[in-house]
Amino acid sequence: MLPILLLLLPVLSPAAAWIPVEDWESGNVTASVGESDQCVCHVYLPDTTFPADRVYHMQQVSKDLILDVDIQMNKLVSYGGKLEIYLKDLQDLTVRVAMLESSPDSYIKLDFELLRIELREFEALVSQLKDSLNSSSPMFDSLYTEIQNMTLIVNQLETYDKSNLEVIRIEFAKLQRKLEECQKDQEFIKPDIGNCNHTGIMSLSKPTVVQLNAHLNSGYEYGGWGKDSKPLRGYESMYFYGAYTNPSVHDFYLYSDYETLILRSAFKHHDIPNGWEGSGNNYIVHGNTIYYQINTPFSMSKLNLTSSKYDYRVIPAASQKFSYSYSDKQNLDFAADENGLWVMYASVESKGKIVLAKIDEKSFGIAKEWKTGVFKQMAGNAFMACGVMYATRSVDLNTEEIYYAFNTKTRTEKHLNIRFQKFQEKYSNLHYNPTDQKLYMYNNGYYVSYNVRFNRE
């Protein structure tokens, strides 16, 4: 059979397939034989072809319309979310205005002005939403009415605010007196940094309770905070903090200064790796290094805050049987003062009494030891200041007492009765810092500090 070649003249557009064969006129189809004995059919389409170009145009228009609809829908969703936020804030404002209505005399002029500013902002936001949607609705009308009503209430309440001026004067006078007392207290115990020409601690200031720990959780009752007792240049203002729900040590936070500590904005977080976790909470930072206790093996450990290098040293005589009265596992207690770095522990040989040891910072070993007369389990905690070890104990729920001192220079001990206030009954970390002559206490989840006054007679 001869091959058949179908030629469409003119060239058929895709729309030609839509024309039924029975609609073709017989005169529009002719046949002939080509040069290569091929059968060639010629089909001539009528003038009434399908309007494919118009269909294509309609398709493009439809796509553009669909895209516009999607954009408008997204706007509606966005405005809906914003409107929910504005409604919630407006409800909060309604509550605040109701509080003003109930006791207008307890608020000052600034409160009213702030409310008026916020009401004006809400009115502008509602107008913006209304313009964006290019429509009006009962919801917008209701919002406008509520905002206007609250504005009237605030303006009326402010007219009854005359008594606040006298209240403010009284409160300001009270605050001024407190500031003067605080200033006198600070001058009374003005520190003489680095000077140990005294006969020991005379008294402590009232406790300064900074705030709840950086976790904002009172369940973190174990831990410690404070400053580097021998800071590197540029880190004099650095603070450290670590807290846990049990007497363990598994991470530390570092803050560049006091403000970042309060704002809980740490510049570094050390997460202690497996095998180096500690126990007890009597750790300190000294020379850009954190010294703390580990249990496997039971030894003193240190972490360099710059290199993140760990090291440990075993104290053969130290025992895990003796801890302070407020917390378990406080077997090794690290301290620092004007004379260097120290560690305190109890042993079986000392029959549970505290052994004071001077640490050689270079070799990380024990340079010298002194036996004291303090039973560790009877003490709340202990610290060093100018080469003297001081031990504390509880007097009552709100009072602590420095009751014992051991002087390493004279090898003499003394019984004292220096009482100071506690914020809460128990605490897990108490240490002295020679750079500001303050005691830092981690008191049941709170940052607490004391100024130390020495007897310089």
Side-chain angles (χ1 to χ4, degrees):
M1 181 181 293
L2 294 175
I4 299 175
L5 176 63
L6 180 63
L7 299 180
L8 302 179
L9 298 175
V11 177
L12 288 175
S13 67
W18 292 72
I19 303 175
V21 176
E22 57 268 20
D23 291 342
W24 292 357
E25 297 180 6
S26 60
N28 291 337
V29 180
T30 60
S32 62
V33 179
E35 296 178 354
S36 303
D37 295 332
Q38 294 174 332
C39 181
V40 180
C41 293
H42 301 272
V43 178
Y44 297 92
L45 294 177
D47 294 333
T48 57
T49 58
F50 185 80
D53 54 340
R54 280 181 290 174
V55 172
Y56 178 75
H57 176 69
M58 290 296 295
Q59 290 177 336
Q60 290 299 115
V61 172
S62 298
K63 290 181 180 179
D64 294 340
L65 287 174
I66 292 172
L67 182 60
D68 289 339
V69 171
D70 288 340
I71 292 173
Q72 295 301 323
M73 289 297 293
N74 289 333
K75 283 185 178 180
L76 286 174
V77 172
S78 175
Y79 292 145
K82 290 181 180 178
L83 193 58
E84 288 182 4
I85 296 173
Y86 297 153
L87 286 173
K88 183 180 182 301
D89 291 342
L90 192 57
Q91 290 172 356
D92 294 339
L93 271 178
T94 305
V95 173
R96 289 168 59 188
V97 172
M99 293 170 63
L100 280 175
E101 285 185 288
S102 63
S103 55
D105 290 342
S106 62
Y107 292 86
I108 62 175
K109 186 177 182 62
L110 180 61
D111 294 313
F112 294 104
E113 186 59 33
L114 290 174
L115 276 173
R116 269 198 295 268
I117 292 172
E118 292 185 42
L119 285 169
R120 287 196 294 268
E121 290 177 351
F122 274 110
E123 188 174 358
L125 288 171
V126 173
S127 298
Q128 181 183 355
L129 276 174
K130 185 176 180 181
D131 294 339
S132 300
L133 293 174
N134 195 23
S135 65
S136 180
S137 70
M139 180 181 293
F140 288 129
D141 296 337
S142 176
L143 283 173
Y144 267 120
T145 302
E146 189 169 354
I147 291 171
Q148 290 171 358
N149 289 339
M150 282 198 291
T151 303
L152 289 174
I153 293 172
V154 171
N155 291 335
Q156 291 173 358
L157 288 173
E158 191 177 16
T159 61
Y160 301 103
D161 193 35
K162 297 177 182 178
S163 63
N164 282 323
L165 292 176
E166 187 61 29
V167 174
I168 293 172
R169 291 193 189 100
I170 295 173
E171 292 300 322
F172 183 77
K174 290 180 181 178
L175 178 61
Q176 194 170 24
R177 285 195 297 271
K178 288 182 180 179
L179 289 174
E180 290 174 355
E181 291 175 3
C182 181
Q183 186 175 8
K184 290 179 180 178
D185 187 44
Q186 293 291 333
E187 291 175 353
F188 179 70
I189 52 176
K190 185 177 180 180
D192 187 8
I193 307 300
N195 185 1
C196 288
N197 187 21
H198 53 72
T199 59
I201 294 177
M202 176 181 288
S203 63
L204 301 182
S205 70
K206 293 181 179 179
T208 300
V209 182
V210 179
Q211 66 174 29
L212 186 62
N213 58 72
H215 289 88
L216 300 180
N217 189 332
S218 59
Y220 287 80
E221 57 182 300
Y222 303 95
W225 79 293
K227 298 179 68 176
D228 192 329
S229 53
K230 193 176 75 172
L232 300 181
R233 182 176 296 178
Y235 290 87
E236 292 86 356
S237 300
M238 184 184 76
Y239 283 80
F240 70 89
Y241 158 75
Y244 327 95
T245 56
N246 53 66
S248 62
V249 181
H250 50 75
D251 65 349
F252 296 98
Y253 293 88
L254 302 178
Y255 304 86
S256 57
D257 52 31
Y258 185 78
E259 290 184 0
T260 55
L261 172 75
I262 300 303
L263 295 173
R264 299 179 292 115
S265 178
F267 74 87
K268 199 167 188 178
H269 174 219
H270 283 277
D271 196 359
I272 299 177
N274 291 335
W276 290 100
E277 298 95 336
S279 61
N281 304 116
N282 284 299
Y283 47 78
I284 61 168
V285 176
H286 182 77
N288 202 46
T289 300
I290 289 183
Y291 293 86
Y292 66 102
Q293 167 189 320
I294 60 174
N295 286 345
T296 310
F298 174 60
S299 58
M300 54 182 187
S301 177
K302 67 176 182 177
L303 161 64
N304 186 289
L305 298 176
T306 301
S307 64
S308 296
K309 181 181 178 182
Y310 291 84
D311 198 2
Y312 74 93
R313 290 290 185 276
V314 175
I315 304 178
S319 173
Q320 293 179 268
K321 295 181 179 180
F322 308 101
S323 181
Y324 289 131
S325 61
Y326 291 137
S327 178
D328 296 330
K329 301 181 181 179
Q330 292 185 317
N331 310 117
L332 302 180
D333 182 6
F334 295 92
D337 65 357
E338 292 80 0
N339 295 341
L341 184 63
W342 309 81
V343 64
M344 292 165 279
Y345 65 91
S347 64
V348 175
E349 291 79 7
S350 69
K351 297 181 180 180
K353 293 183 178 180
I354 293 178
V355 177
L356 173 63
K358 183 71 180 297
I359 297 176
D360 186 316
E361 295 180 43
K362 292 184 178 180
S363 65
F364 193 30
I366 301 300
K368 199 171 183 179
E369 290 183 340
W370 296 262
K371 293 181 180 180
T372 73
V374 178
F375 286 99
K376 188 171 184 184
Q377 293 174 315
M378 298 294 293
N381 216 293
F383 62 91
M384 296 294 299
C386 287
V388 177
M389 187 197 83
Y390 295 91
T392 67
R393 65 183 176 188
S394 177
V395 177
D396 54 46
L397 293 178
N398 300 313
T399 309
E400 193 79 357
E401 177 186 51
I402 300 176
Y403 74 100
Y404 177 88
F406 181 87
N407 192 317
T408 58
K409 185 176 181 180
T410 61
R411 291 182 175 271
T412 58
E413 59 184 4
K414 183 189 299 185
H415 291 277
L416 307 172
N417 184 22
I418 303 173
R419 297 190 174 189
F420 58 97
Q421 295 178 10
K422 287 185 294 187
F423 178 63
Q424 294 193 42
E425 180 184 5
K426 297 181 179 181
Y427 57 91
S428 59
N429 186 301
L430 180 69
H431 65 274
Y432 168 80
N433 193 303
T435 66
D436 54 12
Q437 291 188 347
K438 287 186 177 183
L439 279 180
Y440 289 89
M441 174 189 287
Y442 190 76
N443 191 183
N444 205 25
Y446 287 84
Y447 304 149
V448 181
S449 65
Y450 301 85
N451 291 307
V452 179
R453 184 190 180 196
F454 294 98
N455 187 353
R456 301 189 183 280
E457 294 179 358

